Amino acid sequence: MRSDGILGNREERGRKWLRRRERWLVALGVVLHAVYMLSIFDIYFKTPIVHGVDPVTPRFAAPAKRLVLLVADGLRADKFFELDAEGNHRAPFLRGIIERQGRWGVSHARPPTESRPGHVSIIAGFYEDPSAVTKGWKANPVEFDSVFNRSRHTISFGSPDIVPIFCSALEHSTWDTYPHEFEDFATDASFLDMWSLDKFQSLLNRSREDPKLKELLQQDNLVVFLHLLGCDSNGHAHKPYSSIYLNNVKVVDHVAESVYNLVQDYFKDNRTAYIFTADHGMSDKGSHGDGHPSNTDTPLVAWGAGVKYPKPISSNNHSDCGFKFVDDHVHDAPTPVEWGLHDLERVDVNQADIAPLMSTLLGLPCPVNSVGSLPLDYINMTKADEVEAVLSNTKEILNQFLRKSYIKRSNSLYFKPFKPLSHYSSTLDKIEGLISARDYEAAMNLSQNLRSLALQGLHYFQTYDWLMLMSVITLGYVGWMIYLLLHVLQSYTSLPGNSFGMEETLQKNNRGKIYVYGSILTGMLCLLLLLEQSPPLYHAYMITTSFLWVQIISEYKFINTLWKQVSRRRMNYIIKLLATIAISVFILEFLVNSFTERKLYTWCFLIAGATASFYLFKSIPWRSGIPIYVCIACWLLSLFTLMPAEIPDNNELVVCSGIIIIIIAIIARWLDFHAGVRKYWQSICHCKSKSSSFSSLFYLQALLVGLSSVMVYLSTVHRAEKQELLASHQLINWSVAGFSMVLPLFSENSLLSRLTSMFLGFAPPFLLLSIGYEAMFYAALALVLMAWILLENTLLNLNIVNKSSDSINDLIHGSDYRSLQLSDARIPLVFMVLFNVAFFGTGNFASIASFEISSVYRFITIFSPFLMAALLIFKLFIPFMLVICAFSAITKLNQVPRMGCYFLVILFSDVMTIHFFFLVRNKGSWMEIGNSISHFGIMSAQVVFVLLLFALTNTYTKDIQCNSAVPSTRKAN
């Protein structure tokens, strides 16, 4: 047996050990990233809900006996308030209410601007923390109090996604929803709003013959909630500037008018309060979720019992108080001229302020977890009652603060109180004294100041453990990266070390001592957390971090050997090592910044194309065509990150992209036949005669791409005309997409042939899921990936000629792969760049609102969130799969271990992850906060989905053969 190399003379045992260790390492990486990804919710976004808070009974008479809440899902403020092209009001009834009977303003929503968190803000008065995303928007992740809970009875009709959240577990409620099948994006969804109206009207009619129902309706503290989904569905399907969406605004206004007339005719007591609003808006491309004003600005109209009448605007009631809303809008935002409301006072609120407004109108306690501030400019009450209402609102928020303070104090060994509220009881006594003395203005100011401090106190306890958790998680990430690097150096390089864990007895004893001491220290830290009754995840953070550092310390002998090896190297090697590290950090920081500035990739590929082609011009004959091709391919891809992230619909461009994909495949097929005789192409081509079955497969794949282009045109045109998706079109689209992805498995196994087949195989589903220029991006990305392969093939041939056999023949025993070298770091780095450009080449994957739902309309139009999301994610993964296939081909071409390169990819990803960890924000605009969470989550998840994509693409690439001259050269040497 051979005894050189890192495996020594125990090859079989070494391979088994390596496989076991890597399975363990991958499992550890998945668990570690899953645990650490949850840490931002403990650090920045703990749930605001605290149980055990007592409600505050109001000390004023209820202005209203019942309340009607109308929520127009997905209604933008500007489309509601502005006049149409003819100068008429889109909502004439509600416009009349604004001008003659009630108050109006903009309700500012806080992202994520989705239906569930928006309704929770309106009805329960608090902003659901982002961790609720992990538990599902529809299911109730936690029990929370709401206005409906406090009512005597709640009547609700509307969407099956919203109404059950609040009413399914509520005994004192009467509710109903329409089937999910009604939510069809291929139709005009305004009939959904009429369904809710008809249900409410039927209830009133039925009560005339049902004494029990009539008695129930005559009770006080009654809430009627109608959820109107039409604008949301029509906005998604037809965009918010379409005639269907704008007509739906008129339908919503008609519903509001009809409900008002029904209630007034039925009760005849003028004791009903009405509130009309929306949970979120809608972007121009028909999506929502982020913090753009089109998503956060929603209309608010209130009228009826207990609501003030319109007030003309004047210099006295139009001043900037310096306050900013939750979506970072200033308080004194100018009203657009096209709204025609510049002469009426506008009262903007935070969305969570609507809950205390409704509670006050009904004389109910505010929901116990509400953080909304009562908007006084909406309620028509005496000064004494106004003060009592604000004080009730303040006490509710203060009770939450006191409850959180008590919980933390009782669990902490060293408690740090929130000092500004240390004398809150004396402040409450002072307010009560001022009320008794009828000094209402001073009592009001003091109550509002106390409420502001209580909100600050709630934030203080939300981030109480910030410093400790940040330190533990940071040490954990650093430890993971060091541990991963040690594994790569031990297992995939020619550095000396105990690479298979076969230590001598003394080393085993030393490791045993380290594990014992580490376990004792970890146990002491966990005991401390246990005494403080910390959440289970705190223990997981501490145990994971401690485990990693114990593993690192146990490798002290290898680290010592590594240090000696590096210190003995010549200065030029040290300089090369430092330069590699500096370049790697620069590229990774470039990628971090590219998450917020897509145009950086334009400069990246312009420079990369020019630099690579210049190097190739100097190294190989220009007649090979490779230098020119690499430059053109990079420059072509650089154009796409200049294009808008909101992809405009362009059906013709998608069809043309299919034709271009077929042309590219034909050229690749021709090169596979003829270019292999050239020195710098022969490693990737297979010049032997092709069998007829393989030729037939190529023609079949090209035919499927052409058929998918035809179906793109037919499906889109027919749906535009008929407003529905034909079952035959749907069947053909699903069949073509599914069948085409299987065919590459039966293609030839030469590198260029297999990659061309995969390029054709994934093209039909990508085209059928495309709506514009992203189809062209697919072709451009494939050209750049081919350029990368050609560049690596050229470098390989140059290395064979220029370098000695010792520098290229460091084989890992028992495999066909060589050891990793310092220069091989370029492969995972280039992969990182291409993998990330697949994220941002056609939009901003890091933004929740960048998903264009119309992409799935050629497969499904009936609303099915899970299937639609799966199709959108699959579309986004197709470019990633192309990048990973090219990466796998390059590792085979260069004969470097793919798992070793995978671990380097994860190492580089985690350098970015720890950067994004520090960039997570919980202040500022919610667009910035949401994006910071997305960036961190994407990088944390890469260890999982890159591995899954590696496993998936391995099915296509495992039998790729390269006609490389390297093996024969090694044997000769």
Side-chain angles (χ1 to χ4, degrees), residues 631-755:
C631 185
I632 292 174
C634 289
W635 285 8
L636 179 64
L637 188 63
S638 69
L639 299 175
F640 288 90
T641 46
L642 293 174
M643 296 182 182
E646 296 184 0
I647 302 173
D649 290 349
N650 194 327
N651 198 38
E652 292 76 14
L653 187 59
V654 178
V655 175
C656 291
S657 299
I659 299 172
I660 292 171
I661 288 171
I662 295 174
I663 294 172
I664 292 172
I666 292 172
I667 295 172
R669 181 77 172 172
W670 182 88
L671 288 171
D672 202 18
F673 272 107
H674 302 92
V677 296
R678 301 179 186 175
K679 178 179 178 181
Y680 297 102
W681 287 83
Q682 61 185 1
S683 297
I684 61 175
C685 296
H686 190 53
C687 300
K688 297 178 182 178
S689 60
K690 308 292 189 292
S691 67
S692 58
S693 62
F694 288 136
S695 297
S696 301
L697 179 65
F698 175 81
Y699 297 139
L700 176 59
Q701 287 189 285
L703 179 64
L704 288 175
V705 174
L707 179 59
S708 64
S709 298
V710 172
M711 292 309 300
V712 164
Y713 177 78
L714 291 178
S715 298
T716 306
V717 170
H718 191 275
R719 196 184 72 83
E721 292 176 352
K722 306 291 184 181
Q723 298 299 320
E724 61 183 5
L725 178 64
L726 286 180
S728 57
H729 288 179
Q730 191 175 17
L731 178 63
I732 293 172
N733 293 341
W734 279 102
S735 301
V736 169
F739 184 58
S740 65
M741 291 186 293
V742 179
L743 294 179
L745 297 173
F746 304 98
S747 64
E748 296 163 284
N749 57 8
S750 64
L751 191 150
L752 185 56
S753 296
R754 178 58 61 88
L755 291 182

Side-chain angles (χ1 to χ4, degrees), residues 304-372:
V307 180
K308 288 181 179 177
Y309 281 86
K311 185 177 180 181
I313 197 166
S314 67
S315 58
N316 295 330
N317 59 18
H318 189 70
S319 60
D320 186 2
C321 65
F323 171 76
K324 285 194 175 184
F325 294 97
V326 289
D327 61 347
D328 217 30
H329 275 55
V330 295
H331 184 275
D332 196 40
T335 300
V337 176
E338 55 268 23
W339 291 8
L341 291 167
H342 54 277
D343 56 341
L344 290 175
E345 185 183 34
R346 164 181 166 182
V347 184
D348 286 10
V349 300
N350 285 320
Q351 194 171 61
D353 299 342
I354 298 175
L357 173 61
M358 292 192 293
S359 297
T360 301
L361 290 172
L362 289 172
L364 297 172
C366 291
V368 294
N369 291 117
S370 170
V371 294

